[in-house]
Amino acid sequence: SQKIEQNSEALNIQEGKTATLTCNYTNYSPAYLQWYRQDPGRGPVFLLLIRENEKEKRKERLKVTFDTTLKQSLFHITASQPADSATYLCALGVGTGANNLFFGTGTRLTVIP
Amino acid sequence: DVKVTQSSRYLVKRTGEKVFLECVQDMDHENMFWYRQDPGLGLRLIYFSYDVKMKEKGDIPEGYSVSREKKERFSLILESASTNQTSMYLCATLLGTQETQYFGPGTRLLVL
């Protein structure tokens, strides 16, 4: 069966450290992978997209890697801040058409001051 | 900036009631989606629409219907609300040539 697993339901880290979140998938062949941030009681907000032929993508303090052999994406937040506390969702883009995005269950990150 | 609004942030309904959730977008996106989000289950697609009056079932359409009479508006209807439909409902839009979905703020529905 197809699965998208974000390995930790919750992750606590100290301010200033690098947070690393994991997204693993099975039985999908994604053309791209996205990461979204969701604050409590709000809708997800797009952060980054990485395509299957890209190894790494950066945006300010964010870095995403994509390993199609391991079927895994890592999402890093460097120099983490309490304002980074949120739930982070990965989403796989599979095939073409509008209905092609499949979401993981998310990891709730708490950055402790 | 894309703006997606949902008619209510919180809603309390009784079992058996007909419930309407509305989503409105201001960016002329062709595609609109309704998801529900539950702890441990993530986002699950209920229905989506790729054009006016067009709709497709998602993964969990049972107990729901949708309506898209105008491009900017996509409604989710719970024909007869049940307690297992208590959830967070999220609307999203997608421009046909893009890959990023834009979400509304969500409606937290409680069915008693």
Side-chain angles (χ1 to χ4, degrees):
Chain A
S1 64
Q2 294 174 315
K3 275 187 195 175
I4 303 170
E5 291 178 322
Q6 295 190 241
N7 67 334
S8 302
E9 193 173 316
L11 180 66
N12 295 334
I13 63 162
Q14 211 67 38
E15 182 177 4
K17 302 288 186 187
T18 296
T20 298
L21 284 63
T22 305
C23 178
N24 294 293
Y25 58 92
T26 54
N27 295 326
Y28 284 100
S29 295
Y32 57 87
L33 191 145
Q34 300 180 358
W35 284 89
Y36 288 76
R37 169 184 172 138
Q38 186 175 21
D39 291 292
R42 315 294 294 184
V45 175
F46 170 77
L47 294 174
L48 279 169
L49 180 151
I50 186 165
R51 299 190 185 280
E52 60 176 334
N53 60 351
E54 298 175 313
K55 295 289 184 194
E56 184 179 295
K57 208 78 170 280
R58 289 175 188 262
K59 180 182 175 184
E60 297 170 355
R61 293 184 297 111
L62 308 180
K63 183 177 91 172
V64 173
T65 62
F66 192 13
D67 189 325
T68 55
T69 302
L70 290 179
K71 296 185 183 296
Q72 181 182 79
S73 175
L74 299 179
F75 176 78
H76 306 273
I77 306 174
T78 57
S80 59
Q81 305 165 359
D84 295 326
S85 298
T87 295
Y88 292 87
L89 306 171
C90 69
L92 272 57
V94 180
T96 57
N99 180 24
N100 69 342
L101 202 60
F102 299 91
F103 287 85
T105 52
T107 295
R108 188 173 68 252
L109 174 69
T110 302
V111 180
I112 302 162
Chain B
D1 273 355
V2 176
K3 190 158 185 190
V4 183
T5 57
Q6 294 184 226
S7 49
S8 306
R9 294 299 307 278
Y10 301 95
L11 213 49
V12 181
K13 294 292 180 182
R14 297 217 173 267
T15 302
E17 279 193 78
K18 192 167 186 175
V19 181
F20 293 87
L21 303 182
E22 269 213 325
C23 176
V24 179
Q25 52 117 344
D26 67 353
M27 282 302 291
D28 209 35
H29 286 183
E30 300 90 336
N31 305 291
M32 296 186 75
F33 305 81
W34 275 107
Y35 293 91
R36 64 178 282 178
Q37 185 176 32
D38 301 287
L41 296 176
L43 271 75
R44 293 181 292 167
L45 182 65
I46 304 170
Y47 268 97
F48 78 101
S49 168
Y50 52 91
D51 203 348
V52 174
K53 297 193 187 296
M54 307 306 288
K55 62 186 179 186
E56 293 279 347
K57 291 180 181 178
D59 299 319
I60 50 163
E62 297 79 19
Y64 303 94
S65 62
V66 290
S67 171
R68 191 152 179 217
E69 296 296 318
K70 293 185 178 181
K71 191 173 186 180
E72 68 270 19
R73 194 177 296 264
F74 191 32
S75 300
L76 180 70
I77 302 146
L78 285 65
E79 297 291 342
S80 176
S82 62
T83 54
N84 63 13
Q85 292 179 309
T86 291
S87 187
M88 171 73 139
Y89 289 88
L90 290 161
C91 172
T93 72
L94 173 72
L95 182 62
T97 55
Q98 303 291 314
E99 293 140 334
T100 301
Q101 292 191 13
Y102 295 87
F103 285 84
T107 295
R108 193 166 289 283
L109 172 67
L110 173 62
V111 182
L112 299 173

